[in-house]
């Protein structure tokens, strides 16, 4: 096994909607229709598309439940929630999160080679009706080829971030 390295990818989008509406939308995604998911090479490569997301209070924690195609389901544990400016979570995967064949079987979330550590949404109010949404994903690599793995991690996570933020932008700007 290679040396452990940490990386991050960041994407941003300007959404013509108030920060409060954007913040509410990222917590309450709900069902995602196939036509809402923009085309991306990562889907041609076999990555499952997002289909559902919702945030809810459970006992003493706030949990985001995420579902993708092919039975992928996992939770995100909210670590910081500062309405309407910042939302941060860590990931909670189990042996059922990624059913066999749902993604490349060499990719194991939380495994010895790769892990998603934390994701942040930062919202910057540009004016009363415009918000800049910044998505940052922190990850860990532990391979013999971290330089190569980092290229792929940044590409895939960046593309996926663009897809998710595009869903929010489309939905909020329709109103």
């Amino acid at each position: 096994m290679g040396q452990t390295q940490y990386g991050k990818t960041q994407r941003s989008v300007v959404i013509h909607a108030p920060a409060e509406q954007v913040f509410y939308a990222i917590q309450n995604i709900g069902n995602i229709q196939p036509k809402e998911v923009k085309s991306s090479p990562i889907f041609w490569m076999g990555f499952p598309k997002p289909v559902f997301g919702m945030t809810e209070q459970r006992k003493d924690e706030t949990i985001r439940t995420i579902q993708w195609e092919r039975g992928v389901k996992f939770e995100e544990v909210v670590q910081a929630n500062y309405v309407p400016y910042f939302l941060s979570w860590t990931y909670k995967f189990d042996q059922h999160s990624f059913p066999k064949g749902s993604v490349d079987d060499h990719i194991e979330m939380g495994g010895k080679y790769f892990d998603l550590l934390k994701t942040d949404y930062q919202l910057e109010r540009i004016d009363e009706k415009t918000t800049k949404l910044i998505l940052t994903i922190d990850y860990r690599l532990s391979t013999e080829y971290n330089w190569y793995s980092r290229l792929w991690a940044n590409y895939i996570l960046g593309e996926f971030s663009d897809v998710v933020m595009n869903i929010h932008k489309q939905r909020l700007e329709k109103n």
Side-chain angles (χ1 to χ4, degrees):
M1 189 161 83
Q3 184 178 10
T4 297
Q5 293 183 0
Y6 298 92
K8 69 174 58 188
T9 185
Q10 187 174 78
R11 290 290 212 267
S12 65
V13 66
V14 173
I15 300 175
H16 298 287
E20 293 78 12
Q21 285 181 4
V22 176
F23 197 87
Y24 179 81
I26 62 178
Q27 291 207 65
N28 299 288
I29 302 165
N31 291 317
I32 300 168
Q33 301 304 312
K35 66 181 179 190
E36 293 181 285
V37 181
K38 77 174 191 144
S39 180
S40 171
I42 63 171
F43 302 132
W44 308 333
M45 294 165 43
F47 282 86
K49 296 177 182 177
V51 296
F52 178 82
M54 189 57 64
T55 305
E56 62 186 346
Q57 190 67 38
R58 290 192 207 154
K59 297 180 186 173
D60 58 348
E61 19 176 50
T62 304
I63 302 291
R64 292 169 52 91
T65 301
I66 304 298
Q67 294 177 21
W68 296 348
E69 292 175 324
R70 297 193 289 269
V72 173
K73 184 176 180 179
F74 56 93
E75 294 181 341
E76 301 166 340
V77 182
V78 174
Q79 302 296 319
N81 187 354
Y82 303 107
V83 181
Y85 300 106
F86 188 77
L87 181 65
S88 179
W89 61 85
T90 55
Y91 293 87
K92 190 173 173 182
F93 302 112
D94 64 29
Q95 69 273 18
H96 305 292
S97 293
F98 291 85
K100 188 162 181 60
S102 61
V103 295
D104 185 320
D105 289 336
H106 292 94
I107 300 171
E108 180 185 349
M109 296 297 173
K112 63 181 183 176
Y113 300 116
F114 177 77
D115 198 9
L116 291 174
L117 303 175
K118 173 175 86 97
T119 295
D120 300 332
Y121 270 121
Q122 182 179 349
L123 290 78
E124 294 178 0
R125 187 184 309 259
I126 294 173
D127 61 35
E128 292 300 314
K129 296 182 180 181
T130 312
T131 306
K132 182 177 182 180
L133 181 60
I134 303 162
L135 177 57
T136 306
I137 302 173
D138 293 352
Y139 61 87
R140 174 193 48 82
L141 295 172
S142 301
T143 73
E144 292 183 30
Y145 304 100
N146 283 342
W147 64 270
Y148 180 73
S149 299
R150 181 180 303 265
L151 292 173
W152 277 107
N154 284 335
Y155 176 71
I156 292 165
L157 294 173
E159 280 290 309
F160 205 85
S161 297
D162 288 345
V163 166
V164 170
M165 291 196 308
N166 187 60
I167 291 168
H168 296 308
K169 182 174 176 68
Q170 283 182 357
R171 286 179 174 185
L172 287 160
E173 291 183 352
K174 276 185 181 177
N175 298 337

